Amino acid sequence: MPPKAGGGGGKQKKKKWSKGKMKEKVNNLVLFDKSTYEKVLSEIPKYKMITPSILSDRLKMNGSLARKAIDMLMAQGTIRLVSKHSAQAIYTRATNT
């Protein structure tokens, strides 16, 4: 094949490796503050499904704090257990039935 007119294949830039996708760091609460504690007492008993993951996500608290909040609400009788597994427990609001 004859060489192409206008130069040819000169040196190309070396391919740069991507740095990968970084997950953003969430800054979750490790202790209750007044506003979060009031939300726990007022809003959580109205949720249809309650798990530590849901509380952690919605109220921006860490998992152990979410489990403590659930234990506290269970003791008050405002929520009830649906299913318990070693890794995940599912609760719902307490109804009259």
Side-chain angles (χ1 to χ4, degrees):
M1 280 187 148
K4 289 184 183 173
K11 276 199 161 186
Q12 292 180 333
K13 281 188 178 175
K14 197 171 182 183
K15 184 179 182 299
K16 296 266 194 263
W17 285 91
S18 68
K19 299 285 189 279
K21 289 200 167 91
M22 291 292 292
K23 186 175 183 242
E24 66 181 58
K25 182 90 173 82
V26 288
N27 195 8
N28 287 346
L29 295 173
V30 292
L31 292 171
F32 283 120
D33 56 9
K34 192 171 176 63
S35 64
T36 309
Y37 186 74
E38 286 167 0
K39 275 186 186 175
V40 165
L41 295 179
S42 62
E43 290 180 17
I44 293 174
K46 295 176 184 151
Y47 293 169
K48 267 197 171 165
M49 187 167 89
I50 304 162
T51 64
S53 325
I54 289 173
L55 298 191
S56 174
D57 185 50
R58 290 187 190 170
L59 298 178
K60 299 286 181 265
M61 60 173 69
N62 70 5
S64 58
L65 193 62
R67 288 194 304 271
K68 293 288 181 204
I70 286 175
D71 292 342
M72 184 179 66
L73 292 171
M74 275 285 288
Q76 291 177 2
T78 53
I79 63 174
R80 66 182 174 86
L81 183 68
V82 175
S83 172
K84 179 92 169 127
H85 186 268
S86 62
Q88 189 80 335
I90 301 171
Y91 300 85
T92 190
R93 55 189 171 199
T95 55
N96 297 338
T97 58

